[in-house]
Amino acid sequence: MGFTVTSQMDQGHVPVAGCLVVVVASLFLLARRRTPLTVLACILAANLSVNWFSAVGQHYGAAMIVALYTVVRHHRAAVGAAAVAGCVAVLQLVHPGMPAPSLIELAPNAVSALFVAGAAVAVGRWQRNAETERRRLAERAVSDERRRIARELHDIVAHHLTTMQLLAGGARANLDRSPEAAREALVALEGSGRSALREMRHLLDVLRAGDESEDGDEGGATAPQPGIGDLDRIVGDSRRAGLPTTLTTEGDSRSLPPGVALTVFRIVQEALTNARKHAGDGAHVDVRLTCSAREVRVAVTDDGPRPARSAARGTGYGLVGMRERVALHGGTLRAGPESGGFAVRASLPLPADRQEAYA
C-alpha cells in the first residue's frame, strides 16, 4: 500500500513491475523458518530494487519486519545483532540520482530495527519461560500420579498379605481335621501369594520411577481400592450429572488382577470426568470393557463436542496419569478426537497364569 500510494502521488501512476517486486519480496517469507538469513537478504535486495521503479525511500516494510524478527528469534545473539546492523546499513544505500539520507532518516530506521529485535528477544524469552513452566507442571503431575499409584498398590499388597496370613492360619487349623479344606486353603494361598508378588513388582517399579521427596500426604488410607465392581457406580454418577452414559461389559471381568482392575477403574473415571467437562450438550458417552484370557480393553467414547469446542480437550494432566498407569502394566493408550467426539482407548495385557490364579 505504501508503494502504491507513494507512486501515485509522486508519479501519477503505479508501476506494475514495482508492484510485482513488492509481492515477490513477501513470497520469500514462505521459506523464512528454513533459511531465515537468506530470506532476509532477498527481501533487502527486493527493497533496494523497488527504488528503480518509484522513489519511495528506504523503509521497513511488513516483509522486512517479519524477516528480521525471524532471524533474531531463531539465531544466536551475535547473528541477530549482525542482521540488525546489516538492515540499518543496507537501508541507507540509495539509487543514483536520489539524495543521501539525512540523520533524521537514519534514526527512525535504526530505532525500528532495534524495536523489532527487542520484540523478538522478549517473545523468545517468554516462550522459553512458558515451556519451562509447562515441563515443570507436567513433571509434577507425573510425580504426583506415581505417588498416588504407589499408595494404591501398597493397599492392594497389604490386602493380599493379610489374606495370605488368614489362609495360612486356616490351613494349619484344618490340617489334621480336614485335609481337603487345608489343601484348598493352600491353593488359594498360592494364588494370593503370586498376586501379591506381581503387585509388589509393580509397586517397586513405581517407586524407582518416582522421586524420593516426602510430601507428607501419606494419609494412611484404609478404604478398599476401587475396581471393576465400582464402574456401575461412576457410570451412574455420570448419568446423574446430566451426561447420558452406557456401560457394556464383555467377558469375565471379575477375575481381573486387582492392579489391572484398579487401572481400568481410574481410566474410566478420568475419561468420564473429561467428558463431563468438555462434551457438548446432548452428547452421549459409551463405556465398553472387553475381557479375554490375554488382555483387557477399555474404551470410553463420546459423540461431542462439536468441532468448534474440540480444542478445549487435553489442557489438563488427566492423560498423564492414564499413561503412567497403562505403562506400568505394559499396555497401550490412545486418546484423541474421533468421529466428531473424543475417545480414550486402552489395552492392558494380563499375566499368563491368569486362568489358573484367578479362576
Side-chain angles (χ1 to χ4, degrees), residues 237-252:
D237 292 342
S238 179
R239 294 194 191 102
R240 285 188 290 273
L243 188 65
T245 308
T246 58
L247 172 63
T248 305
T249 302
E250 299 178 6
D252 182 15

Side-chain angles (χ1 to χ4, degrees), residues 117-255:
V121 171
V123 171
R125 182 174 302 172
W126 173 79
Q127 288 185 340
R128 286 192 297 271
N129 291 340
E131 179 63 19
T132 300
E133 180 67 10
R134 186 197 66 80
R135 286 197 302 268
R136 187 187 68 81
L137 291 175
E139 290 170 359
R140 179 178 178 181
V142 170
S143 179
D144 291 344
E145 190 64 25
R146 283 173 178 166
R147 284 194 292 271
R148 181 185 181 190
I149 295 172
R151 287 194 293 269
E152 292 174 346
L153 289 178
H154 174 271
D155 292 342
I156 291 176
V157 171
H159 168 74
H160 280 302
L161 293 178
T162 302
T163 302
M164 290 169 63
Q165 181 183 13
L166 295 175
L167 290 172
R172 179 179 55 80
N174 290 287
L175 189 59
D176 296 328
R177 294 179 301 174
S178 178
E180 182 63 23
R183 189 187 71 81
E184 293 178 358
L186 290 174
V187 170
L189 176 63
E190 180 186 7
S192 186
R194 187 183 298 112
S195 177
L197 285 175
R198 183 180 300 111
E199 303 301 339
M200 181 66 76
R201 293 190 190 101
H202 290 328
L203 174 60
L204 292 176
D205 290 340
V206 173
L207 293 178
R208 291 192 187 104
D211 56 10
E212 301 282 340
S213 62
E214 295 287 341
D215 60 1
D217 185 26
E218 295 306 318
T222 58
Q225 295 297 339
I228 298 299
D230 297 278
L231 291 181
D232 287 327
R233 174 176 58 80
I234 60 175
V235 167
D237 292 342
S238 179
R239 294 194 191 102
R240 285 188 290 273
L243 188 65
T245 308
T246 58
L247 172 63
T248 305
T249 302
E250 299 178 6
D252 182 15
S253 61
R254 295 172 298 177
S255 61

Side-chain angles (χ1 to χ4, degrees), residues 43 60 88 135 188 231:
I43 291 177
Y60 282 86
V88 174
R135 286 197 302 268
L231 291 181

Side-chain angles (χ1 to χ4, degrees), residues 15-81:
V16 176
C19 289
L20 292 177
V21 171
V22 173
V23 172
V24 170
S26 299
L27 293 178
F28 285 129
L29 293 176
L30 295 175
R32 69 188 181 95
R33 296 202 180 274
R34 292 191 297 273
T35 57
L37 285 173
T38 303
V39 169
L40 178 60
C42 292
I43 291 177
L44 284 172
N47 268 26
L48 288 174
S49 64
V50 167
N51 286 311
W52 288 92
F53 308 102
S54 178
V56 296
Q58 302 298 347
H59 63 286
Y60 282 86
M64 184 176 295
I65 290 175
V66 175
L68 178 59
Y69 173 91
T70 305
V71 170
V72 178
R73 176 69 181 83
H74 297 284
H75 282 279
R76 302 190 310 274
V79 177

Side-chain angles (χ1 to χ4, degrees), residues 272-358:
L272 289 178
T273 300
N274 191 46
R276 284 196 296 270
K277 289 180 179 178
H278 303 296
D281 296 335
H284 177 273
V285 180
D286 178 60
V287 179
R288 184 172 296 273
L289 180 65
T290 305
C291 303
S292 66
R294 294 186 176 183
E295 67 175 0
V296 55
R297 297 190 302 274
V298 57
V300 182
T301 59
D302 65 66
D303 53 10
R306 297 301 163 263
R309 296 185 56 184
S310 60
R313 296 301 183 101
T315 56
Y317 295 99
L319 290 179
V320 173
M322 291 188 199
R323 295 189 191 283
E324 284 292 311
R325 291 178 180 276
V326 172
L328 178 65
H329 295 279
T332 59
L333 176 74
R334 292 186 296 108
E338 182 178 300
S339 302
F342 199 84
V344 176
R345 300 182 184 275
S347 176
L348 301 169
L350 296 175
D353 58 351
R354 178 206 179 204
Q355 297 294 332
E356 174 185 351
Y358 300 101

